[in-house]
Amino acid sequence: RRTRVLAAGNRLQEISSNIEFYTEGPTLDCGNVFQRRRMVQVYPEGVRLLDQTQSVQNIAIKEERLHNKHAATISSTFICDPYVLLLMSDSTVLLLSGRTDVEMMELTKPPLRPGALVTAACLYRDDGGRLRSFGDVMEEMEEDDFGGDEEQQGGRRKTMTEEEEEELLLYGGAVSG
């Protein structure tokens, strides 16, 4: 099994000259990073960062891990610009973080409990703020509802009903009422 790179035009056509994609084996995932200026290609033994069709960075995960006495390969991935999450065959997780200043990837280990084994993982960009902590949402609501601190409002505090608290926890936005 090997990777074939196809060009989409009037018809699909395999391209093989002047490209630096990994083609010696299967590709697990491929996607855009750095606001679509670069592509990342993930294969079982590593990750390749490309500018158009030219390789600008190769990260050999298998070799990197062999120095640490591990022989695991990449089994699945999730790309969410500028991050690439790598689930390894030994159930550990690695994270590639994009350095936007130089448009290169940096290998890090996510802050997980030591010895944690992971069976599935994904990344999510919370542009809408739905996954903010409850405390952050409460602080923001208090500032919005009261227009500042307690002294400015004469010591008043609005309390939420159980229904409003439940709605806040479920939907994360401002509660009705």
Side-chain angles (χ1 to χ4, degrees):
R1 297 180 351 179
R2 68 180 192 91
T3 294
R4 299 170 115 192
V5 180
L6 304 174
N10 291 337
R11 61 189 175 112
L12 287 179
Q13 182 178 349
E14 184 173 1
I15 54 174
S16 57
S17 61
N18 298 326
I19 62 166
E20 294 182 10
F21 282 86
Y22 170 81
T23 58
E24 293 80 40
T27 293
L28 300 174
D29 203 356
C30 196
N32 293 305
V33 290
F34 303 115
Q35 299 177 348
R36 303 180 65 98
R37 288 188 301 274
R38 298 235 168 132
M39 284 187 296
V40 64
Q41 178 189 23
V42 183
Y43 51 96
E45 294 82 25
V47 177
R48 186 166 289 185
L49 185 65
L50 299 118
D51 188 351
Q52 302 293 329
T53 59
Q54 303 305 303
S55 177
V56 293
Q57 184 182 13
N58 288 306
I59 300 170
I61 301 296
K62 193 172 186 179
E63 289 175 25
E64 184 77 29
R65 301 212 11 127
L66 282 174
H67 290 95
N68 296 328
K69 297 184 172 84
H70 292 330
T73 58
I74 302 168
S75 58
S76 66
T77 73
F78 200 93
I79 300 169
C80 186
D81 188 12
Y83 301 100
V84 179
L85 184 69
L86 307 172
L87 182 58
M88 305 303 292
S89 59
D90 64 357
S91 298
T92 59
V93 175
L94 295 174
L95 182 68
L96 289 171
S97 301
R99 290 197 41 212
T100 55
D101 57 336
V102 292
E103 291 190 348
M104 299 296 263
M105 303 302 282
E106 196 170 79
L107 185 63
T108 61
K109 192 161 171 97
L112 298 174
R113 179 179 44 85
L117 299 179
V118 179
T119 57
C122 73
L123 297 173
Y124 173 74
R125 182 188 328 260
D126 188 19
D127 291 332
R130 296 195 182 279
L131 297 178
R132 294 178 295 177
S133 72
F134 183 72
D136 291 344
V137 173
M138 290 299 296
E139 281 180 30
E140 190 175 296
M141 283 184 58
E142 287 176 0
E143 288 172 10
D144 290 346
D145 288 344
F146 300 118
D149 62 19
E150 218 176 316
E151 265 181 45
Q152 290 177 334
Q153 299 298 320
R156 291 185 290 126
R157 281 278 185 211
K158 178 182 175 186
T159 58
M160 280 196 278
T161 66
E162 283 182 30
E163 183 180 313
E164 289 173 327
E165 284 181 15
E166 185 175 327
E167 190 174 321
L168 176 66
L169 287 170
L170 286 172
Y171 304 111
V175 294
S176 59

